[in-house]
Amino acid sequence: MRAWREMRRFPLAVQLLLVNQLGVNIGFYLLIPYLAMHLTDHLGMSAAVVGIVLGVRNLSQQGLFIIGGSASDRLGARGVIIAGCALRTAGFALFALGDDLAVLLAASVLSGLAGALFNPAVRTYIAQEAAERKAEAFALFNVFATTGALIGPLLGSALLLVDFRTSALTAAGIFAALTVAQALVLPVRKVEPSRGTVLADWREVLGNRAFLAFALAMVGMFTLENQLYLLLPDGARQATGWDGAAGLVFLVGTVANLTLQLRITRALKERGDRARWIATGLGLMALAFLPPAMTAVGSGGPDGTAEAVLHALPVLVGALLLYLGVMVAQPFVMELVPGFGRSELTGTYFGIFYVFSGIAAAVGNAVVGWAMDTGERGDAGWLPWTCCALFGLVSALGVAWLHRLGSLPSPSKPAVPAPA
């Protein structure tokens, strides 16, 4: 309830986009986690074909964030948000209506392109509308996103009792409703004419050495955040011998997010500069992987319920620390990104920043996956957890180093872009 009360203090446009993110994550997570199962179990596709369908969706999104960011700057974030939601509606409807590979690939491209459009556009709109309260706005954004990510899979598992088509049409219906609401409620904002070409905008952002260094330093945050969907659920399942234990990871995060996110952001905002808290958050994220690492050494399957609970505790403690680290760092990261350059390029900065995040997530997951396989073969269950702790530590040190060099902007004083 505190989040709802705080939300009412923002302009109506920001309120809508916060609720929008709740709906976006509900619609996304009620379908996508079950897509691979549908393709294999219901349509009889091979693992290779399933990998192609899922990879096309991911590539369409991660590789085109820069397009969505530039479109937000030049056409206005409002129109790009609406177009993105409309495309996601069409893409998810195709998943419901088509069974052959060509239709499924088209659905993957549309749903991926949709995310590439509205993800940077939503953050651009919030950054512009929230003004000096960006940190609180992005903290609330995190609360609504996390809540949607919990509700979505629960709703999806219930709808799958009917069939996958019902799930896909429900998801498409959610995005259709969001599209109509955005068209009706989001105010039109005047877009200042750009002084140059799109390529010139990209060159300007990519020539900002401080921004590129910051984006590289944040690779650890994106890699570790992705372990909420890979390593931590796997660790919970192995510790307890129960597939449903993965849901406990998300439950811990949602409860912590709802109760602590706003309090943490408000308390830290007035105490020290943003870089300090970003580095602290990354340090917490690194620390989160140590309890599971210590208990993974030589641990076997649980013998009874009591032992399963004891085995699960280090993983859940790690999940809580990871969520706390994200809650500390992420709102201030989102607040800093627009400060690296001209306000007219806010969308482009967010777009390129999320291209880095996509690459980081892909490479980081590959490294963690390799460590999981190697650890399993060599009786070294601690290996993937230690890799993640090192990722977080390196990122924390990177941000601290950039802060010491004076390369990071503050909310009141943007950084001066370094020459290319």
Side-chain angles (χ1 to χ4, degrees), residues 26-407:
I26 290 174
F28 182 85
Y29 285 105
L30 77 83
L31 177 71
I32 294 300
Y34 306 105
L35 179 58
M37 181 184 69
H38 168 66
L39 297 178
T40 54
D41 295 351
H42 300 160
L43 302 184
M45 293 184 172
S46 67
V49 173
V50 172
I52 291 172
V53 172
L54 298 180
V56 165
R57 192 210 67 79
N58 192 60
L59 181 62
S60 299
Q61 177 166 313
Q62 304 291 355
L64 297 177
F65 272 132
I66 190 171
I67 303 297
S70 292
S72 300
D73 292 333
R74 291 176 170 267
L75 306 176
R78 176 185 181 273
V80 178
I81 293 169
I82 294 170
C85 268
L87 282 176
R88 180 63 62 83
T89 303
F92 280 14
L94 277 180
F95 277 126
L97 302 175
D99 292 342
D100 64 274
L101 182 59
V103 175
L104 292 171
L105 288 175
S108 295
V109 170
L110 286 176
S111 59
L113 177 58
L117 290 177
F118 65 65
N119 279 350
V122 165
R123 286 157 178 81
T124 299
Y125 205 111
I126 289 177
Q128 293 169 344
E129 289 287 318
E132 72 280 358
R133 298 189 65 211
K134 291 184 184 71
E136 290 94 331
F138 283 116
L140 278 172
F141 190 83
N142 198 18
V143 170
F144 281 88
T146 303
T147 305
L150 177 68
I151 295 173
L154 296 176
L155 180 58
S157 61
L159 289 171
L160 279 177
L161 296 176
V162 182
D163 59 18
F164 179 82
R165 182 160 297 171
T166 301
S167 295
L169 290 176
T170 301
I174 291 172
F175 280 99
L178 293 174
T179 304
V180 172
Q182 292 156 5
L184 293 176
V185 177
L186 283 182
V188 178
R189 295 286 182 252
K190 182 181 178 181
V191 181
E192 295 294 331
S194 178
R195 300 199 297 259
T197 65
V198 172
L199 289 178
D201 292 346
W202 294 355
R203 282 196 297 269
E204 180 177 335
V205 175
L206 292 173
N208 188 331
R209 293 174 182 172
F211 169 71
L212 292 184
F214 180 69
L216 287 172
M218 297 314 299
V219 162
M221 186 181 84
F222 293 114
T223 299
L224 299 193
E225 205 172 356
N226 265 263
Q227 302 319 306
L228 291 169
Y229 309 100
L230 177 63
L231 184 57
L232 281 161
D234 182 73
R237 286 189 291 265
Q238 288 194 18
T240 62
W242 174 45
D243 287 343
L248 297 177
V249 171
F250 300 107
L251 181 61
V252 164
T254 302
V255 172
N257 211 283
L258 287 172
T259 55
L260 298 175
Q261 175 70 84
L262 277 172
R263 290 185 175 93
I264 288 173
T265 303
R266 280 180 167 176
L268 299 183
K269 184 179 177 182
E270 306 302 329
R271 301 177 185 178
D273 52 56
R274 308 302 195 254
R276 172 186 173 187
W277 298 123
I278 293 172
T280 301
L282 289 167
L284 271 176
M285 293 174 74
L287 185 64
F289 292 88
L290 296 184
M294 290 186 287
T295 58
V297 180
S299 61
D303 184 13
T305 303
E307 192 170 331
V309 172
L310 287 176
H311 284 193
L313 282 177
V315 179
L316 296 181
V317 168
L320 178 60
L321 287 173
L322 182 57
Y323 273 105
L324 287 173
V326 172
M327 284 188 272
V328 170
Q330 195 174 68
F332 299 126
V333 171
M334 295 296 101
E335 185 184 30
L336 282 191
V337 168
F340 278 98
R342 296 186 285 125
S343 61
E344 298 89 345
L345 294 182
T346 295
T348 305
Y349 273 95
F350 272 120
I352 292 179
F353 188 72
Y354 276 98
V355 168
F356 274 88
S357 79
I359 296 171
V363 174
N365 277 348
V367 172
V368 174
W370 167 84
M372 291 170 70
D373 291 338
T374 304
E376 187 175 352
R377 290 194 301 267
D379 195 24
W382 51 268
L383 183 60
W385 305 98
T386 305
C387 283
C388 289
L390 290 175
F391 271 128
L393 179 62
V394 170
S395 280
L397 293 175
V399 172
W401 178 67
L402 289 173
H403 175 53
R404 185 172 182 178
L405 292 178
S407 300

